[in-house]
């Protein structure tokens, strides 16, 4: 027993030294200090799949994010598709549609440096995929808004009249056939109230309501006309004069203007008024839809509401995606954070109950992640038709579906949680919606080794794949049919009963109708199949030899132990 305790104690001592060293480095190193650890994290949270895990395919040229669910209640979570627009860690930026299990449905090829606010919206009774695409420059994000139909064809490209570029934060279609868009416009300003230059520049938060058919501006509002710069909570510390660093300008030039307000959501309600969110003032402003004058301010230095319970000083901070409803409730993502290097805080989705007669607001429901995720930027809280609330955690590569009363139903990651503060991957917002895609191109087929692969980017109605083969000038004949469960399906080459000169695969819907057919290609050669068989044989032989050696060594060791326990001694044998 004494001999056994020695190694155990040494191992425990080594483990203690490793933990102590990590804690010391974590406290002293700014970089390691941003790594967040929790005892309840899974291996996925700690990076077992890599910093920016990706799925790769044989029949599709692009990678997709690798979504892992840590919790999934399929009976209570919505089965609608998931809509993200991801970027980060040298990955291909673009929009992504996933099914409710996280399996890829559609991956947008790269069209710009960044894509944001990707979702399903309706215009004149037709569903569109809408998004912003552009690049970080001029101290902000410079780009345009797009509307794509069910064939993944861009039908509308929208810009902001009177401005060179549009901003990525909001593109909201209304029931009246109009669009609400955000614009960041640098203007000269005295920044001395916030510690900046007296003759500096600020980024004015602007929004327009546009008539889509004509491009006419129906309404425009400028934050600088109504929100004093002194109400900004954004610090000058850490600012930059680099125009490529969006929203971080010090205000010394128009290309690096100070982002004092940071408009990040707009909604027009049934009364014709607008609810606006200003992240850098930690406030919501409800404005008259005719005059543009503020009706009320909630949060921040201009707050006009009493918080219930009394004594609550801060109800939300650095928020995103505010939405107001007919029952006078308001939902938003309370980021409660702005700097990944600062003291760690907790973000949450929240539902507020407002009493506009008494000018009181109550926290009705908090949608809190059990691991206290901190989203230091971006994010949203979407109320689904079921009443569930779907939260995208923005800079933290995760999304969570809650019940209406705040219970976690489904929870997923697409990057390790320990590294969220480094933003290895992110999606500005995350949405759920129903979508039917009918791509104009054909499904794609590929042969790799002894398998035949097939996929069809964006096709949502494929129920099964039918493999066909032909010899010479004869017609194609059916070989095998398999159900479609994943983005890419595969047939083993063993399904080919004879030597075909060409193969193809057809996409079939639930009614047995052929939706599309791949190109014709040559099947795997018999030589490849033979090599594959030989490889399997070699692997089998090697495994057999290894097992035999292990058993032999184990037998020898066992015999020697029994030999020693019995006290046997060698004896000399006389001739």
């Amino acid at each position: 027993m004494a001999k056994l305790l020695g190694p155990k104690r040494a191992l425990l001592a080594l483990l203690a030294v490793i933990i102590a060293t990590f804690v010391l480095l974590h406290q002293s190193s700014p970089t390691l200090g941003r790594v967040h650890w929790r005892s309840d994290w899974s291996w996925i949270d700690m990076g077992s799949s890599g910093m920016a895990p990706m799925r790769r395919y044989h029949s599709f040229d692009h990678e997709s994010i690798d979504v892992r669910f840590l919790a999934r209640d399929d009976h209570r979570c919505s089965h609608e598709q998931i809509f993200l627009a991801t970027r980060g860690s040298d990955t291909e930026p673009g929009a992504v549609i996933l099914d409710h299990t996280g399996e890829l449905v559609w991956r947008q090829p790269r069209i710009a440096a960044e894509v944001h606010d990707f979702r399903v919206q309706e215009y004149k009774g037709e569903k569109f995929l809408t998004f912003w695409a552009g690049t970080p420059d001029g101290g902000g994000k410079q780009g345009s808004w797009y509307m794509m139909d069910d064939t993944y064809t861009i039908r509308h490209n929208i810009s902001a009249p009177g401005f060179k570029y549009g901003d990525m934060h909001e593109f909201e279609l209304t029931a009246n056939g109009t669009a609400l868009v955000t614009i960041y416009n640098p203007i000269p300003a005295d920044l001395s109230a916030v510690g900046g230059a007296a003759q500096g520049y600020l980024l004015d938060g602007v929004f327009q309501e546009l008539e889509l058919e004509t491009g006419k501006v129906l309404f425009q509002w400028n934050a600088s006309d109504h929100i004093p710069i002194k109400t900004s909570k954004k610090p000058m510390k850490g600012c930059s004069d680099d125009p490529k660093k969006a929203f971080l300008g010090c205000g010394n030039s128009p290309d690096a203007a100070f982002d004092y307000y940071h408009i990040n959501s707009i909604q027009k309600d049934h009364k014709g008024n607008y609810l606006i969110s200003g992240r850098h003032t930690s406030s919501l402003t409800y404005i008259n839809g005719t005059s543009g004058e503020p009706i009320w301010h909630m949060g921040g230095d201009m707050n006009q509401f009493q918080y219930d319970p009394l004594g609550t000083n801060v109800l939300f901070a650095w928020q995103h995606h505010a939405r107001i409803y007919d029952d006078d409730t308001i939902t938003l993502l309370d980021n409660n954070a702005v700097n990944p290097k600062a003291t760690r805080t907790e973000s949450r989705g929240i539902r507020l109950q407002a009493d506009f007669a008494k000018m009181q607001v109550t926290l009705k429901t908090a949608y809190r992640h059990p691991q206290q995720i901190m989203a230091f930027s971006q994010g949203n809280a979407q109320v689904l038709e079921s009443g569930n609330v779907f939260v995208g955690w923005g800079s933290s590569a995760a999304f969570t579906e809650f019940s209406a009363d705040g219970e976690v139903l489904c929870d997923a990651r697409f990057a390790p949680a320990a590294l969220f503060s480094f933003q290895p991957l992110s999606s500005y917002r995350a949405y759920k919606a129903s979508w039917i895609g009918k791509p104009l191109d054909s499904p794609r087929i590929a042969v790799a080794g002894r398998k035949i692969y097939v996929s069809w980017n964006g096709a949502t109605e494929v129920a099964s794949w039918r493999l066909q083969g032909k010899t010479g000038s004869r017609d194609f004949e059916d070989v095998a049919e398999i159900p479609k469960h994943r983005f890419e399906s595969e047939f083993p080459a063993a399904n080919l009963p004879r030597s075909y000169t060409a193969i193809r695969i057809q996409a079939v819907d639930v009614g047995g109708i052929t939706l599309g057919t791949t190109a014709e290609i040559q099947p795997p050669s018999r030589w490849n199949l033979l090599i594959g068989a030989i490889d399997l044989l070699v692997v089998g032989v090697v495994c057999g030899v290894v097992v035999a050696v292990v058993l032999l060594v184990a037998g020898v060791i066992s015999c020697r132990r029994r030999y020693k326990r019995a006290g046997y001694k060698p004896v000399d044998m006389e001739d």
Side-chain angles (χ1 to χ4, degrees), residues 285-302:
T285 300
Y286 186 64
I287 68 173
N288 185 287
T290 303
S291 68
E293 289 299 318
I295 297 173
W296 50 255
H297 301 279
M298 181 185 295
D301 291 349
M302 301 178 73

Side-chain angles (χ1 to χ4, degrees), residues 2 4 7 34 93 138 200 207 211 241 252 272 289 307 335 352 356 362 434 453 489 495 523 539 549 551 555 566:
L4 290 175
R34 292 170 60 185
F207 87 82
E211 190 174 65
D241 289 321
N252 297 319
Y307 298 141
N335 293 76
L352 307 174
F356 296 114
T362 304
S434 296
Y453 297 89
S489 301
N495 283 337
V539 170
V549 170
L551 291 175

Side-chain angles (χ1 to χ4, degrees), residues 123-324:
Y123 175 60
K124 293 186 175 180
E126 183 180 357
K127 285 187 176 183
F128 286 88
L129 296 173
T130 66
F131 58 92
W132 176 94
T135 187
D137 207 352
K141 301 290 178 77
Q142 299 180 344
S144 302
W145 306 278
Y146 298 87
M147 295 172 62
M148 184 181 284
D149 65 19
D150 60 2
T151 67
Y152 303 96
T153 301
I154 292 175
R155 292 251 300 273
H156 301 276
N157 183 351
I158 299 98
S159 56
F163 299 92
K164 193 172 181 180
Y165 301 105
D167 168 67
M168 45 78 67
H169 283 94
E170 190 75 275
F171 180 67
E172 174 90 353
L173 299 183
T174 73
N176 299 324
T178 64
L180 307 176
V181 299
T182 49
I183 301 132
Y184 279 48
N185 184 43
I187 60 173
D190 182 356
L191 305 180
S192 56
V194 289
Q199 295 182 332
Y201 295 87
L202 64 78
L203 269 182
D204 196 4
V206 181
F207 87 82
Q208 293 178 335
E209 181 172 6
L210 306 176
E211 190 174 65
L212 279 177
E213 279 195 352
T214 64
K216 180 181 177 182
V217 178
L218 302 178
F219 186 86
Q220 180 171 313
W221 186 84
N222 296 57
S224 60
D225 293 335
H226 306 279
I227 310 295
I229 190 171
K230 66 181 181 180
T231 63
S232 179
K233 299 184 180 301
K234 179 177 172 60
M236 276 288 179
K237 184 179 179 181
C239 70
S240 172
D241 289 321
D242 184 351
K244 300 291 185 182
K245 294 186 176 181
F247 315 122
L248 292 177
C250 299
N252 297 319
S253 71
D255 283 341
F258 180 68
D259 182 16
Y260 93 105
Y261 186 61
H262 199 88
I263 185 171
N264 62 21
S265 73
I266 324 158
Q267 180 199 12
K268 189 174 186 178
D269 68 6
H270 69 281
K271 299 176 184 177
N273 298 325
Y274 304 92
L275 180 67
I276 314 299
S277 168
R279 169 169 161 85
H280 289 169
T281 54
S282 291
S283 65
L284 308 182
T285 300
Y286 186 64
I287 68 173
N288 185 287
T290 303
S291 68
E293 289 299 318
I295 297 173
W296 50 255
H297 301 279
M298 181 185 295
D301 291 349
M302 301 178 73
N303 175 61
Q304 296 172 265
F305 287 81
Q306 277 193 327
Y307 298 141
D308 186 18
L310 296 176
T312 306
N313 294 321
V314 180
L315 202 58
F316 54 82
W318 311 104
Q319 76 289 336
H320 280 83
H321 196 240
R323 293 292 186 262
I324 191 168

